[in-house]
Amino acid sequence: MCLPFILFKQYRSSASRVVRREEYEHQRGPQGKACPAFLTFFNMAYMAGATVELPCHCKPHEVQSVVWFFRKHGSNSEETRALTDHHGNKLLDSSRIPHGGDLRSRFFIRLFSLLIFRAGVDDSGIYICGSARGDYFYAYDLDIQEVQELGFAPESKTVRMSDGRGPRSGQLLYRVFTAFRPWSRCDRCGVPGEQVRVGLCYVHSRFLHVRYREANATVASCGSGAVPEAFGRLKHRRHGARLEVRSCHVTCPREETPPPSESGKFMVFSGGSTTQTEMQVSYLNHPADHILTLGCPDAKPGMAVAWDRASEPVYRLQSSTNSRIHIDAGHHLVFTPATYQDSAVYHCWLQGRRVAEIHLLVYASLGRSQSITSNADFWAAMRLVFRCYAIMTAVFCLLLIVRVGVRLRRDRHTD
């Protein structure tokens, strides 16, 4: 692990490492422009809980492996971490990603691109895509913003938040605002649904760091490294993201039955069925008193996702991030923690269609230092058992007394 640190220290010491233009001039950046001769940091902002994808632009075709470097804002080069090995072959099963785990347990490499699942605020920083021989192809200034407010949508799409002026001259140093993305489509059809839009915090200033400038030299996200440390008010009081929700109701589109194919005609002739079930059914067992995160299959960032518990919808307007059960920014259904009462059948809606059915069973989990009597519901269950036993015993004794009384009365009549 020493080599990546040495490479990054060489990059820091040269402050403006030159990427060989004659070697990379055929590559194109995210806006279709030629790759810059000097490494700059492309600013990107996301809401916490979302899945982030960082493509490795400007990589020459002959390079078959890349190395990703990560450094938090404000830290030195010694704190740089390498997120991949020199072959870029780290694999990760997205269904086994721990909730709130370390960054090393939540990233995945796909076609040289870095994917970060359930990104958190601590994942903000500088990400550099390079090679083992000391070349640096592309760099990102990633800003992950926590949701500070969840509510109904205002009328305007951009909300001014605050201004910062110089202490003496009164000169306008920066202006902070919230930029909203377009509304998502309605997450349900045929029943009342919801639409969401994400608002991220940005700062407008003429004093942003020149190394972070890309397309717009005067705008960057609030948590970007381009914001000078002199803007202490903005740095100490971080303006977070906003998630706004509004109700919607759309009718389900009529699904047209495609004409049967030759194989379908043969199935009908042979007595088989040509109908294919699109609903994905899965079964999940999870220990109680642990955090549980349910993800919708085939869901991608930007898609509309909704959740139902049996036939009861789980609305964002009725829950928040402080609730025990809520939908996070990545459209996961989060239980903090899961309890026995959460055992049920859950349905997932994707782009207005119900696509998955999850049978959840929450069971008791006993650790090495725990016993069955340490469970909070143990004594309540024991009281219920003893109560039922007492009732059954009383009924049995009553029936026995009645039977004895009937027999004594019969014996008297016979005498």
Side-chain angles (χ1 to χ4, degrees):
M1 299 300 292
C2 296
L3 181 58
F5 296 155
I6 298 175
L7 296 178
F8 194 81
K9 291 178 66 176
Q10 294 176 355
Y11 153 74
R12 291 284 296 177
S13 62
S14 60
S16 60
R17 180 178 179 84
V18 178
V19 180
R20 291 183 289 275
R21 184 185 299 273
E22 64 275 8
E23 186 176 359
Y24 304 146
E25 61 181 0
H26 62 282
Q27 300 292 332
R28 296 292 172 180
Q31 286 83 20
K33 300 180 181 179
C35 294
F38 297 91
L39 189 67
T40 58
F41 305 113
F42 182 71
N43 179 232
M44 299 183 69
Y46 290 89
M47 180 175 291
T51 299
V52 179
E53 181 176 2
L54 305 179
C56 185
H57 295 292
C58 304
K59 183 189 71 64
H61 297 290
E62 57 269 19
V63 175
Q64 300 299 323
S65 63
V66 298
V67 180
W68 281 92
F69 302 100
F70 167 66
R71 176 175 61 88
K72 290 189 176 182
H73 290 133
S75 59
N76 51 33
S77 59
E78 285 74 13
E79 300 179 13
T80 303
R81 294 187 294 173
L83 298 182
T84 65
D85 56 13
H86 299 307
H87 302 286
N89 57 4
K90 180 175 178 61
L91 301 178
L92 183 65
D93 185 2
S94 59
S95 62
R96 299 182 179 180
I97 300 174
H99 188 276
D102 184 72
L103 176 61
R104 293 180 181 271
S105 63
R106 291 183 288 103
F107 77 90
F108 174 70
I109 304 301
R110 183 179 64 186
L111 298 178
F112 309 109
S113 297
L114 179 66
L115 276 77
I116 305 175
F117 298 93
R118 300 172 194 164
V121 178
D122 294 337
D123 299 331
S124 301
I126 302 299
Y127 291 82
I128 301 178
C129 176
S131 67
R133 65 179 184 178
D135 296 324
Y136 302 98
F137 310 129
Y138 210 78
Y140 293 91
D141 171 31
L142 183 62
D143 178 23
I144 305 298
Q145 301 181 9
E146 195 77 39
V147 178
Q148 299 291 341
E149 186 176 353
L150 172 65
F152 295 95
E155 297 180 358
S156 59
K157 292 186 178 181
T158 301
V159 180
R160 298 289 181 181
M161 299 178 66
S162 63
D163 295 335
R165 299 181 180 274
R168 296 182 179 179
S169 61
Q171 180 185 8
L172 182 63
L173 299 179
Y174 63 86
R175 175 167 292 175
V176 183
F177 63 95
T178 302
F180 287 94
R181 295 178 179 176
W183 284 100
S184 68
R185 62 181 301 174
C186 195
D187 55 12
R188 294 176 177 86
C189 70
V191 295
E194 291 178 330
Q195 289 179 286
V196 297
R197 69 172 179 177
V198 176
L200 299 177
C201 177
Y202 285 87
V203 57
H204 179 273
S205 176
R206 297 183 294 108
F207 303 98
L208 300 180
H209 198 287
V210 64
R211 194 64 183 275
Y212 295 81
R213 296 182 178 181
E214 190 66 25
N216 195 329
T218 60
V219 176
S221 61
C222 293
S224 169
V227 180
E229 292 291 341
F231 296 171
R233 180 184 176 187
L234 178 62
K235 287 292 184 179
H236 292 88
R237 193 184 68 180
R238 283 284 303 273
H239 298 278
R242 289 170 55 92
L243 182 63
E244 295 185 345
V245 187
R246 69 181 182 185
S247 302
C248 60
H249 193 289
V250 297
T251 58
C252 295
R254 178 181 297 179
E255 297 184 359
E256 298 181 357
T257 304
S261 59
E262 295 297 330
S263 59
K265 294 179 181 179
F266 175 76
M267 290 292 294
V268 173
F269 175 78
S270 59
S273 176
T274 60
T275 59
Q276 297 182 355
T277 304
E278 298 182 359
M279 179 76 66
Q280 300 186 26
V281 180
S282 59
Y283 297 85
L284 176 63
N285 299 330
H286 188 80
D289 301 327
H290 289 73
I291 297 179
L292 170 63
T293 303
L294 298 181
C296 190
D298 301 328
K300 298 179 181 179
M303 289 186 173
V305 179
W307 290 92
D308 294 344
R309 174 189 170 95
S311 59
E312 181 181 356
V314 180
Y315 290 115
R316 293 178 175 87
L317 292 177
Q318 298 175 355
S319 63
S320 62
T321 55
N322 297 326
S323 303
R324 190 182 64 85
I325 302 177
H326 65 276
I327 302 175
D328 64 4
H331 307 304
H332 305 95
L333 186 61
V334 183
F335 302 80
T336 55
T339 62
Y340 305 110
Q341 292 76 16
D342 297 328
S343 299
V345 178
Y346 293 86
H347 296 94
C348 171
W349 295 72
L350 183 61
Q351 296 294 90
R353 298 179 57 188
R354 198 159 63 175
V355 297
E357 179 179 300
I358 302 175
H359 296 254
L360 175 63
L361 174 62
V362 181
Y363 61 90
S365 176
L366 300 178
R368 294 182 178 179
S369 60
Q370 294 179 338
S371 62
I372 189 172
T373 58
S374 62
N375 194 296
D377 298 332
F378 172 76
W379 296 112
M382 291 301 297
R383 285 193 296 268
L384 180 61
V385 171
F386 283 120
R387 188 178 304 170
C388 295
Y389 180 77
I391 294 174
M392 294 175 61
T393 304
V395 171
F396 175 78
C397 294
L398 180 61
L399 293 176
L400 184 61
I401 293 173
V402 171
R403 183 179 179 181
V404 172
V406 171
R407 179 173 295 181
L408 291 175
R409 186 176 180 182
R410 185 183 302 170
D411 292 342
R412 288 179 182 178
H413 285 292
T414 56
D415 294 341

